[in-house]
């Protein structure tokens, strides 16, 4: 089954999901954060079929999230590493892990903790912060049209703002 591409959608969440929204993809990125570099290691740690792994790795390389850092003499990728763009996914992975630990723990409890490397202390829960540095709750944020918004997007967001004003 062919999936629908979100790459042309105006929503930045949809465009992001077009690249990283398939479940194997974020698990591959997680493995890369944990130090997995080689195809066989990804396959062993994830239990993913080789053809699916090849497709996802290629997509992550094409999308600029992973880079091939060494190749065999016949041109096969030997090692994959996160690019700066890939490293910027760290807060998303931390937020997912923290959410999962809170809302979907195993019966035996949390299986992994996200900690500061030097101290071993748990990192603080990911929160949305204002530009001035104070935490924001979902009710404190909204969406506004940016310079690239279409007229349909602007109209939809204006309607959203009207609904929010009526609620307040």
């Amino acid at each position: 089954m062919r999936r629908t591409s979100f790459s042309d959608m105006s929503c930045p969440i949809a465009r992001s999901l077009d690249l990283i929204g398939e479940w194997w993809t974020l698990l591959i990125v997680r493995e890369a954060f944990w130090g997995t570099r080689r195809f066989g290691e990804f396959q062993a740690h994830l239990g993913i079929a080789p053809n699916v792994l090849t497709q996802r790795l290629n997509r992550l390389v094409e999308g600029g999230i992973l880079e091939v850092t060494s190749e065999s003499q016949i041109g096969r990728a030997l090692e994959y590493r996160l690019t700066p763009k890939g490293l910027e996914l760290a807060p998303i992975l931390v937020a997912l892990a923290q959410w999962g630990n809170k809302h979907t723990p195993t019966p035996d409890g949390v299986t992994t903790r996200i900690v500061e490397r030097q101290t071993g202390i748990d990192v603080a829960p990911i929160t949305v912060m204002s530009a001035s540095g104070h935490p924001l709750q979902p009710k404190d944020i909204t969406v506004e049209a940016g310079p690239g918004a279409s007229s349909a997007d602007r109209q939809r967001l204006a309607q959203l703002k009207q609904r929010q004003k009526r609620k307040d």
Side-chain angles (χ1 to χ4, degrees), residues 6-7 11 21 37-39 53 63 68 79 84 86 98 106 115 117 125 139 141-142 145 148 151 158 161-162 164:
F6 298 152
S7 63
C11 173
R37 300 283 179 259
R38 296 181 173 272
F39 185 95
L53 179 57
V68 175
E79 286 196 353
Q98 290 175 340
T106 67
V115 300
R117 186 184 306 255
K139 67 179 177 59
I141 61 175
T142 190
S151 58
K161 200 171 212 172
Q162 289 295 335
Q164 288 173 337

Side-chain angles (χ1 to χ4, degrees), residues 89-147:
L89 289 169
I92 294 168
L93 293 177
V94 170
L96 278 171
Q98 290 175 340
W99 186 91
N101 280 341
K102 181 177 181 179
H103 297 290
T104 64
T106 67
D108 295 327
V110 170
T111 56
T112 58
R113 297 171 31 235
I114 307 296
V115 300
E116 186 177 352
R117 186 184 306 255
Q118 289 186 341
T119 66
I121 298 172
D122 288 338
V123 301
I126 296 287
T127 58
V128 177
M129 305 291 277
S130 72
S132 62
H134 68 274
L136 298 172
Q137 298 300 313
K139 67 179 177 59
D140 299 326
I141 61 175
T142 190
V143 180
E144 292 192 357

Side-chain angles (χ1 to χ4, degrees), residues 33-54:
F33 269 105
W34 289 358
T36 301
R37 300 283 179 259
R38 296 181 173 272
F39 185 95
E41 294 171 334
F42 283 108
Q43 189 177 9
H45 296 161
L46 295 170
I48 185 174
N51 62 320
V52 175
L53 179 57
T54 298

